[in-house]
């Protein structure tokens, strides 16, 4: 009589030809998602090496968003990233959870402009690019186009800022908080920030840059 013995499991994986479970090495590059600290709008999505320093991250953000390195103030929750070690702490937290580094960014600019004519350039929506002429202290109108730059102090749920609108639909927005000396009770005409713009909702990146047009 021949007896068969049924094995329902392998006491040792090696005996069954199944290699032991191996832990995967951590990724060499990490995704970084940056949103506005003011509105929560997306600013940039980049990838950096695990060992990256703060300077490299800011260079990648500049490449993706156009925001100059000197204008970037990066936050991880309530913590301001000031040194490379701060970024490494944020990376360590990301590796222990989602694997994605989530940061917020404040954009800081020295002064805006009160120029009578300005040039909007570099926007992902090409139809909003062009020259704008001041109509009132809070509005510029596109020359030969249908777009306007409109300042709103408190007419919306968003903070005070300038909106770039086309057919009454907002495409880009910049909060007044990007100006170093701006306060909500400031007197005089509101300055138009030249940088620090954000894409409104799902509008195409990149964001525009505003420059004064010299009157010759």
């Amino acid at each position: 009589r021949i007896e068969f013995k049924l094995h329902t499991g392998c006491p040792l994986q090696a005996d069954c030809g199944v290699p032991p479970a191996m832990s995967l090495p951590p990724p060499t590059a990490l995704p970084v998602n940056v949103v506005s600290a003011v509105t929560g709008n997306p600013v940039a999505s980049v990838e950096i090496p695990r060992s990256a320093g703060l300077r490299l991250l800011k260079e990648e953000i500049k490449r993706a968003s156009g925001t100059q390195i000197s204008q970037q103030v990066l936050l991880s929750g309530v913590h301001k990233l000031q040194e490379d070690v701060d970024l490494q702490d944020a990376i360590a937290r990301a590796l222990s959870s989602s694997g994605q580094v989530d940061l917020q960014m404040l954009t800081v600019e020295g002064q805006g402009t009160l120029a009578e004519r300005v040039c909007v350039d570099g926007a992902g929506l090409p139809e909003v690019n062009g020259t704008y002429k001041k109509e009132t202290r809070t509005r510029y109108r596109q020359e030969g186009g249908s777009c306007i730059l409109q300042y709103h102090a408190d007419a919306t749920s968003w903070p005070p800022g300038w909106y770039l609108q086309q057919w009454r639909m907002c495409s880009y927005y910049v909060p007044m908080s990007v100006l170093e000396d701006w306060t909500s009770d400031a007197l005089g005409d509101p300055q138009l920030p030249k940088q620090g713009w954000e894409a409104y909702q799902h509008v195409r990146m990149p964001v525009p840059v505003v420059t004064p047009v010299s009157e010759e």
Side-chain angles (χ1 to χ4, degrees):
R1 187 176 62 178
I2 301 176
E3 294 183 355
F4 294 92
K5 194 171 184 179
L6 181 63
H7 292 273
T8 58
C10 297
L12 295 176
Q13 288 183 318
D15 294 341
C16 301
V18 179
M22 298 179 62
S23 59
L24 294 175
T28 56
L30 283 175
V32 179
N33 184 50
V34 185
V35 300
S36 166
V38 178
T39 64
N41 272 347
V43 173
S45 292
V46 301
E47 281 196 349
I48 58 170
R50 284 188 60 212
S51 58
L54 197 55
R55 176 77 184 190
L56 176 59
L57 172 59
K58 289 188 173 185
E59 288 175 349
E60 291 298 318
I61 293 173
K62 175 187 174 183
R63 189 174 294 112
S65 70
T67 305
Q68 298 299 314
I69 290 175
S70 61
Q71 296 175 304
Q72 299 177 26
V73 178
L74 298 177
L75 307 168
S76 177
V78 298
H79 304 288
K80 182 178 178 180
L81 304 188
Q82 295 179 295
E83 305 289 343
D84 289 346
V85 65
D86 299 327
L87 175 58
Q88 288 303 312
D89 287 345
I91 289 175
R93 288 193 295 272
L95 288 174
S96 65
S97 56
S98 65
Q100 173 178 283
V101 183
D102 293 311
L103 301 177
Q104 302 82 44
M105 186 174 82
L106 287 170
T107 304
V108 179
E109 182 186 351
Q111 297 295 321
T113 180
L114 294 172
E116 291 297 317
R117 297 172 73 236
V118 296
C119 177
V120 174
D121 189 39
L125 288 176
E127 56 267 31
V128 306
N129 294 324
T131 302
Y132 289 68
K133 182 176 178 58
K134 181 180 281 188
E135 287 188 332
T136 70
R137 59 187 296 271
T138 59
R139 184 189 300 120
Y140 288 80
R141 185 171 297 277
Q142 186 182 38
E143 296 181 352
S146 59
C147 301
I148 62 171
L149 284 163
Q150 180 71 50
Y151 173 76
H152 291 287
D154 53 7
T156 71
S157 59
W158 282 22
W162 285 84
Y163 293 76
L164 209 170
Q165 299 171 264
Q166 182 185 31
W167 302 113
R168 297 188 178 181
M169 298 293 293
C170 181
S171 53
Y172 300 97
Y173 160 81
V174 60
M176 296 301 286
S177 59
V178 304
L179 301 177
E180 288 181 349
D181 300 325
W182 180 84
T183 59
S184 58
D185 58 352
L187 301 176
D189 293 352
Q191 294 192 27
L192 174 61
K194 292 174 283 187
Q195 299 192 42
W197 289 80
E198 303 174 13
Y200 187 80
Q201 295 181 348
H202 303 295
V203 173
R204 188 186 311 162
M205 297 285 279
V207 296
V209 172
V210 173
T211 54
V213 175
S214 59
E215 301 289 347
E216 297 181 355

